[in-house]
Amino acid sequence: MCRLCDPQKPQTPCPTRRDFLKAGAVAGAAGTAGLGLTGTAYAQQAAAATLPEGLGTPGRRVLIKGGAVMSMDDAVGNFAVGDVLIDGKTIVAVGANIDASDAVVIDAAGKVVMPGFVDTHHHQFETALRSQLANGILINDGRPANASNYYETILQGFSMVYRPEDVYINELFGGIAQLDAGVTTVMDVSQIHHSPEHSDAAIEGLRDAGRRGVFGYFEGWGERAKYPADAARIKQQYFSSEDQLTTMVMGGEIYLPGYEEAWKIGRELGLPIALHVVGTFGMQPTFDELGAAGMFGDDNIFIHMTGMSEDGWKYAADAGAHISLSVPIEMHMRHGTPPIQKAIDMGFSTSLSTDVECTMTADFFTQMRGLITLQRMFANEKALAGQEYPDLMNCMQAIRHATMGGAEGLKLDRKIGSLTPGKEADIILLDAQAINVAPLNNVPGAVVTLMERNNVDTVMVAGQIKKWKGQMLGFDIDRLRTELESSRDYLFEAAGIERDLFA
């Protein structure tokens, strides 16, 4: 059962609990034909009917066979034609030709087999506002064209009217959409904690999407907001186990009053502390003061890091902090120039993140292309001017930022980020025979420079199939879309903002 289940209509399948894995998939299509299945549900039934026999059977190993395997682990290596053997949720072997006669075989011929993408910063509660701020910048600069901006319109406008039910469907739909694009892990920066009920709804939406999620407990507003004090309750209720798909990070925004208490609580609870670090908001002096006071640690995730001083960068580097870059958004919304080269030169562990879908897509092919093209543009400008220039980023390095970099930042690198025996099987299969990719000549090059989200053929999280042959499994997407549209309509009305499709 989920928040969208209707106890008055028990005959209607739960929109987040459809079981389409092989057992009886074809028979199930006939057996449920009278229950009003939507078009997406029928498409899922058709895809599920092609799942290999025995997939999902407890105790049965799975062999992904014959793909171009890109492990993202130098000790494991890459294989032009290779296999990945999975036992339960764990990768047990990666190699050129694995003998596992007892295993269920997934034919990966014509596919790139690689770790799922890791997004270290995504505001999923804004899913219903997709593209609403497509032309917007971060804060109001006084020009009429920028009167609609992120801080005033989204954070101080729309976000103030969210109900818990809006939080839930936005979180859920945003999570499913990214899972469809091969992003198997996210840190959700949910700045929507207006009450404990809002927090619970965010966690449930994150969890019900069925992927690996890191709940970022950030601020809320209003008299019922319990941030940051509710962190202990949330951690005990939802994140007491180390062996689960969802974990927790503490938000500690230094541009807000009282951030010191958030940092204190986060460290008492043993949580990483994440924050936006943006020069546009005048954070540099506070950031430098914290660094000089020795407050930074390897538990910090600094998002953006635009406009910071040399001292601030040194404090962060000396502490072993992690940097999360949102390159397309930073360029588009005036956060400042993405500090790609600075992070590289100073040896930071660095990841990619999608930030806000009210302004730009949350797929990772866009993130990788934004990263590599901007880094190379600056380096090439120096080369053309006859100056010393840094090494040009290559495609494998861009993919590392999108996988292992994110796993390191979220303290999950012992579990995910590479196809390494002993890690959990968060794996994606990308179609290299599709019309926009074939013929395959260079695996990392194809992934970074050619592919789109439609090339994501199969997605696995902790050994469980979430997407198969281009179809998400387990969700009534049509019904969820309707729920999201209803939330969108409420939010616009409650915020007093007219929805203009051509603004």
Side-chain angles (χ1 to χ4, degrees):
M1 297 286 286
C2 75
R3 283 178 176 252
L4 300 175
C5 294
D6 187 349
Q8 304 302 315
K9 299 178 181 179
Q11 75 279 8
T12 303
C14 175
T16 67
R17 287 292 183 272
R18 294 187 176 279
D19 183 10
F20 287 129
L21 290 182
K22 190 66 177 178
V26 178
T32 57
L35 297 182
L37 290 184
T38 60
T40 57
Y42 281 119
Q44 289 183 44
Q45 293 280 18
T50 69
L51 285 163
E53 191 69 40
L55 190 64
T57 302
R60 193 80 185 272
R61 298 193 299 174
V62 175
L63 182 65
I64 301 174
K65 190 165 187 60
V69 177
M70 184 164 53
S71 74
M72 304 311 300
D73 183 336
D74 291 340
V76 172
N78 303 312
F79 302 88
V81 180
D83 305 338
V84 180
L85 182 63
I86 301 158
D87 189 352
K89 65 180 181 181
T90 305
I91 298 169
V92 295
V94 180
N97 188 14
I98 297 172
D99 183 12
S101 58
D102 63 320
V104 177
V105 175
I106 294 176
D107 182 5
K111 307 292 192 300
V112 172
V113 182
M114 64 172 286
F117 300 121
V118 182
D119 184 346
T120 54
H121 159 229
H122 183 193
H123 300 262
Q124 291 188 168
F125 75 92
E126 298 171 5
T127 305
L129 306 178
R130 282 172 166 170
S131 77
Q132 171 61 16
L133 202 70
N135 300 312
I137 60 173
L138 194 59
I139 58 176
N140 196 339
D141 65 355
R143 291 191 178 188
N146 297 323
S148 179
N149 57 82
Y150 184 75
Y151 186 72
E152 293 173 342
T153 305
I154 305 297
L155 290 186
Q156 297 298 310
F158 279 113
S159 82
M160 298 300 184
V161 301
Y162 272 69
R163 306 161 296 179
E165 54 263 44
D166 300 305
V167 176
Y168 177 79
I169 186 58
N170 278 259
E171 292 279 359
L172 175 63
F173 202 93
I176 295 169
Q178 263 204 318
L179 192 54
D180 178 67
V183 184
T184 52
T185 301
V186 71
M187 181 174 79
D188 171 44
V189 178
S190 48
Q191 297 165 304
I192 197 71
H193 299 282
H194 306 331
S195 73
E197 291 79 17
H198 284 75
S199 300
D200 293 343
I203 294 164
E204 290 175 29
L206 187 67
R207 178 196 62 199
D208 287 351
R211 66 171 170 161
R212 201 174 300 275
V214 178
F215 169 68
Y217 182 46
F218 282 68
E219 69 275 9
W221 307 97
E223 61 183 19
R224 297 200 64 236
K226 302 298 182 185
Y227 171 88
D230 202 27
R233 189 270 305 181
I234 289 171
K235 185 174 187 293
Q236 181 179 18
Q237 182 173 343
Y238 293 104
F239 306 106
S240 58
S241 171
E242 293 292 324
D243 188 26
Q244 58 184 58
L245 281 180
T246 48
T247 53
M248 183 176 177
V249 161
M250 190 71 174
E253 302 285 30
I254 61 175
Y255 67 91
L256 295 175
Y259 71 84
E260 298 92 343
E261 183 68 10
W263 283 53
K264 178 176 178 288
I265 291 173
R267 285 185 165 146
E268 287 174 349
L269 294 174
L271 301 173
I273 299 169
L275 53 148
H276 296 82
V277 183
V278 186
T280 317
F281 274 82
M283 297 180 195
Q284 182 183 314
T286 303
F287 191 79
D288 286 351
E289 289 170 11
L290 284 170
M295 291 298 293
F296 297 162
D298 63 2
D299 59 349
N300 280 127
I301 302 169
F302 295 143
I303 301 165
H304 302 308
M305 273 295 283
T306 53
M308 293 300 107
S309 70
E310 290 296 324
D311 284 344
W313 275 97
K314 186 177 186 303
Y315 295 138
D318 289 347
H322 180 83
I323 306 297
S324 173
L325 298 178
S326 307
V327 176
I329 287 289
E330 289 154 4
M331 293 190 290
H332 193 87
M333 295 184 72
R334 202 181 293 171
H335 290 66
T337 301
I340 301 168
Q341 197 61 52
K342 189 75 169 179
I344 293 171
D345 291 344
M346 296 190 72
F348 276 91
S349 170
T350 308
S351 62
L352 303 182
S353 62
T354 58
D355 206 344
V356 291
E357 284 192 279
C358 61
T359 301
M360 197 166 292
T361 178
D363 86 85
F364 251 52
F365 301 100
T366 296
Q367 302 307 314
M368 291 186 292
R369 275 195 282 277
L371 175 77
I372 194 170
T373 53
L374 185 62
Q375 190 275 342
R376 291 174 70 100
M377 182 196 80
F378 283 127
N380 287 331
E381 279 294 298
K382 287 180 178 291
L384 291 170
Q387 301 170 7
E388 287 294 318
Y389 63 93
D391 292 342
L392 298 175
M393 183 180 291
N394 63 48
C395 292
M396 190 68 85
Q397 291 168 328
I399 295 171
R400 192 190 187 283
H401 289 304
T403 53
M404 273 303 297
E408 291 168 354
L410 299 178
K411 307 301 182 187
L412 293 172
D413 48 310
R414 61 187 173 84
K415 282 190 172 184
I416 62 166
S418 64
L419 304 185
T420 302
K423 289 191 178 185
E424 296 190 15
D426 288 11
I427 300 173
I428 58 177
L429 275 61
L430 307 178
D431 186 358
Q433 294 181 328
I435 195 168
N436 63 316
V437 179
L440 181 63
N441 295 308
N442 181 285
V443 170
V447 171
V448 174
T449 69
L450 296 178
M451 288 191 177
E452 309 284 351
R453 64 181 300 146
N454 61 291
N455 293 109
V456 180
D457 177 87
T458 297
V459 177
M460 180 181 286
V461 176
Q464 298 294 311
I465 296 291
K466 301 297 180 180
K467 184 178 184 180
W468 179 255
K469 293 192 180 302
Q471 285 292 328
M472 290 296 295
L473 302 181
F475 302 100
D476 187 339
I477 302 296
D478 287 340
R479 180 178 165 191
L480 294 176
R481 183 188 303 112
T482 298
E483 296 280 356
L484 184 68
E485 290 169 348
S486 295
S487 174
R488 184 268 320 272
D489 293 345
Y490 165 79
L491 293 172
F492 273 84
E493 182 178 358
I497 296 175
E498 180 182 358
R499 191 163 66 92
D500 182 350
L501 292 181
F502 297 96

